[in-house]
Amino acid sequence: MKRFNEVSMVCILLVFASVVNGFVVMKLWGWFIVPAFEIRPLHMVEAIGIMLFVRFAENRLAVRKKENEDRSFLVILQENIFLVIFFGAFTLLIGWIISLFL
């Protein structure tokens, strides 16, 4: 049962991280790309799709062997998903600050 809870939590976090990253891409696109190139804004679903494509193309998961040998893969994955969410929120904050100067 514990394993099922861990897997469920990872799935929920993956969906949440995808939505957060899609939202960040949508907002940054609207703030910087739309005015600069006079193109249409992205919808949320399109932004999520772009982020999923980029993540798939990158094919990365920052796992350092020596530090993580005694921890389970799911714990490491949860930590990385939290980092993705935090990085998305931080990127959105920096983008918003920069957009104030436009």
Side-chain angles (χ1 to χ4, degrees), residues 1-10 74:
M1 188 65 171
K2 182 181 176 191
R3 187 70 154 178
F4 176 76
N5 290 340
E6 289 177 345
V7 171
S8 299
M9 180 63 140
V10 167
L74 291 175

Side-chain angles (χ1 to χ4, degrees), residues 5 20 33 41 47 64 72 78 83 86 100:
N5 290 340
V20 167
I33 304 300
R64 287 168 273 183
S72 74
Q78 285 174 347
L83 287 175
F86 174 77
L100 297 176

Side-chain angles (χ1 to χ4, degrees), residues 15-84:
V15 169
F16 185 69
S18 297
V19 170
V20 167
N21 284 326
F23 180 76
V24 170
V25 167
M26 182 183 72
K27 295 307 274 183
L28 293 176
W29 187 274
W31 289 336
F32 302 113
I33 304 300
V34 170
F37 299 106
E38 298 178 357
I39 56 177
R40 72 175 183 83
L42 287 177
H43 297 288
M44 185 69 164
V45 175
E46 295 168 332
I48 291 171
I50 288 172
M51 279 311 299
L52 290 174
F53 175 77
V54 168
R55 293 286 178 215
F56 177 76
E58 283 180 341
N59 195 18
R60 68 180 173 131
L61 179 61
V63 177
R64 287 168 273 183
K65 288 184 179 181
K66 289 186 179 182
E67 292 179 12
N68 299 323
E69 285 178 356
D70 55 340
R71 297 185 313 176
S72 74
F73 174 74
L74 291 175
V75 170
I76 296 166
L77 188 60
Q78 285 174 347
E79 290 172 359
N80 282 299
I81 293 169
F82 279 121
L83 287 175
V84 166

